[in-house]
């Protein structure tokens, strides 16, 4: 599905491409670099034996059925000055799907891309120190279901694959499009990009349940701030969620990883 020799020329010269047949997790692989690694890199694997989502959840990664990759870089800006990373990654994937395959997907706060209310893509962003003062590496893990698979029972009705909606042509071009979009977004105006993210996020306006201080709460998602935090209005107050386990209240409740 991914061909190193075809993908490498499509990427910028300053991005190192690492292609693996099998790995526990592409994010974990980047974390294991033995020394400060200042260049940008893109790690792609045919399968992950321990693919990870947020909050310690697993990401099902069968062999040659999906795109499992981590894009990593050392920013030259402070974390405060960067566009929120996970929303930027979501926009990058959304734009690539729309422009390359002609599909309209939904961005679901904070780290999922869905089609017809089923999960197509998950994003896991992590930050690690590289052993230098005020220097850190950002790792953006992106997992996209490309071809249908025998999903575990618990996600059979929640997952969906790209090829169920379109003819999947050259995945190498698709990958390069995501990375190009992401690099441009990371250098973009934070406020304009977050305005786009808000406009495309399907969570806004929905009634949601969420766990906070070990209690279950219900409220309406009313906005997302410029730092990517979800603003929820409850009967008692307005709450800003930086990270939470959120469910959207629908006819049939559906759980959402964040």
């Amino acid at each position: 599905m991914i061909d190193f020799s075809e993908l490498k020329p499509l990427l910028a010269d300053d991005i190192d491409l690492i292609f693996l047949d099998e790995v526990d997790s592409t994010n974990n692989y980047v974390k294991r670099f033995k020394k400060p690694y200042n260049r940008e890199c893109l790690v792609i694997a045919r399968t992950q034996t321990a693919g990870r989502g947020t909050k310690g959840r697993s990401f099902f990664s069968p062999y040659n059925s999906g795109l499992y990759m981590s894009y990593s870089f050392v920013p030259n800006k402070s974390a405060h000055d960067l566009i929120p990373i996970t929303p930027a990654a979501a926009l990058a994937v959304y734009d690539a799907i729309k422009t390359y395959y002609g599909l309209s997907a939904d961005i679901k706060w904070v780290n999922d891309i869905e089609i017809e209310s089923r999960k197509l893509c998950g994003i896991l962003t992590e930050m690690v120190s590289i052993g230098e003062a005020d220097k850190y590496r950002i790792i953006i893990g992106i997992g996209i279901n490309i071809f249908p698979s025998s999903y575990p029972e618990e996600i059979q009705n929640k997952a969906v694959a790209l090829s169920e909606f379109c003819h999947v042509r050259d995945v190498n071009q698709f990958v390069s499009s995501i990375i190009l979009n992401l690099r441009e977004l990371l250098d973009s105006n934070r406020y304009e990009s977050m305005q786009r993210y808000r406009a495309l996020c399907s969570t806004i306006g929905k009634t949601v349940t969420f766990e906070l201080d070990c209690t279950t709460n219900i409220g309406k998602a009313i906005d997302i701030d410029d730092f990517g935090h979800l603003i929820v209005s409850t009967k008692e107050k307005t709450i800003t969620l930086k990270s939470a386990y959120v469910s959207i209240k629908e006819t049939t409740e559906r759980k959402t990883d964040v």
Side-chain angles (χ1 to χ4, degrees), residues 12-109:
D13 291 339
D14 56 347
I15 298 178
D16 290 336
L17 177 61
I18 300 170
F19 188 65
L20 307 168
D21 192 61
E22 179 181 292
V23 71
D24 55 347
S25 152
T26 55
N27 272 30
N28 285 350
Y29 183 91
V30 176
K31 287 182 176 182
R32 288 195 292 268
F33 286 143
K34 300 295 184 182
K35 57 184 178 181
Y37 195 91
N38 293 316
R39 286 175 60 86
E40 295 178 51
C41 69
L42 177 63
V43 178
I44 301 178
R46 294 189 188 277
T47 185
Q48 299 179 115
T49 59
R52 296 187 296 116
T54 54
K55 305 296 184 184
R57 300 179 181 91
S58 62
F59 187 89
F60 184 57
S61 312
Y63 193 86
N64 263 1
S65 293
L67 174 59
Y68 319 120
M69 67 181 185
S70 293
Y71 171 69
S72 182
F73 66 101
V74 176
N76 55 13
K77 300 179 181 178
S78 70
H80 183 273
D81 292 330
L82 282 170
I83 178 177
I85 303 299
T86 304
L91 284 173
V93 174
Y94 172 91
D95 288 342
I97 290 171
K98 186 169 185 179
T99 58
Y100 203 69
Y101 293 116
L103 295 175
S104 292
D106 292 316
I107 296 177
K108 199 164 193 312
W109 187 83

Side-chain angles (χ1 to χ4, degrees), residues 50-230:
R52 296 187 296 116
T54 54
K55 305 296 184 184
R57 300 179 181 91
S58 62
F59 187 89
F60 184 57
S61 312
Y63 193 86
N64 263 1
S65 293
L67 174 59
Y68 319 120
M69 67 181 185
S70 293
Y71 171 69
S72 182
F73 66 101
V74 176
N76 55 13
K77 300 179 181 178
S78 70
H80 183 273
D81 292 330
L82 282 170
I83 178 177
I85 303 299
T86 304
L91 284 173
V93 174
Y94 172 91
D95 288 342
I97 290 171
K98 186 169 185 179
T99 58
Y100 203 69
Y101 293 116
L103 295 175
S104 292
D106 292 316
I107 296 177
K108 199 164 193 312
W109 187 83
V110 59
N111 61 335
D112 288 348
I113 305 293
E114 296 187 338
I115 295 181
E116 296 185 355
S117 299
R118 297 169 70 186
K119 184 171 179 175
L120 174 73
C121 168
I123 299 164
L124 176 63
T125 299
E126 299 181 275
M127 184 184 298
V128 295
S129 171
I130 62 171
E132 299 177 19
D134 300 322
K135 287 288 186 177
Y136 58 93
R137 172 167 288 281
I138 290 175
I139 307 170
I140 307 170
I142 299 174
I144 304 175
N145 302 321
I146 302 294
F147 299 108
S149 184
S150 298
Y151 299 113
E153 183 177 354
E154 63 268 22
I155 63 170
Q156 281 182 359
N157 297 321
K158 301 177 182 179
V160 72
L162 190 61
S163 63
E164 296 178 52
F165 299 92
C166 65
H167 171 64
V168 178
R169 50 196 173 91
D170 193 352
V171 179
N172 300 293
Q173 292 280 356
F174 179 51
V175 171
S176 68
S177 178
I178 292 172
I179 301 304
L180 176 62
N181 292 344
L182 184 51
R183 293 180 98 202
E184 290 179 348
L185 282 160
L186 291 170
D187 284 333
S188 68
N189 180 284
R190 167 202 288 269
Y191 304 104
E192 291 178 1
S193 296
M194 287 308 301
Q195 186 174 358
R196 278 197 68 221
Y197 181 84
R198 278 190 287 270
L200 294 170
C201 183
S202 62
T203 308
I204 295 177
K206 300 286 182 63
T207 299
V208 299
T209 64
F210 56 96
E211 300 293 328
L212 188 66
D213 298 329
C214 299
T215 61
T216 300
N217 302 268
I218 299 177
K220 184 176 181 179
I222 59 173
D223 202 358
I224 295 170
D225 67 20
D226 287 328
F227 297 95
H229 305 148
L230 184 68

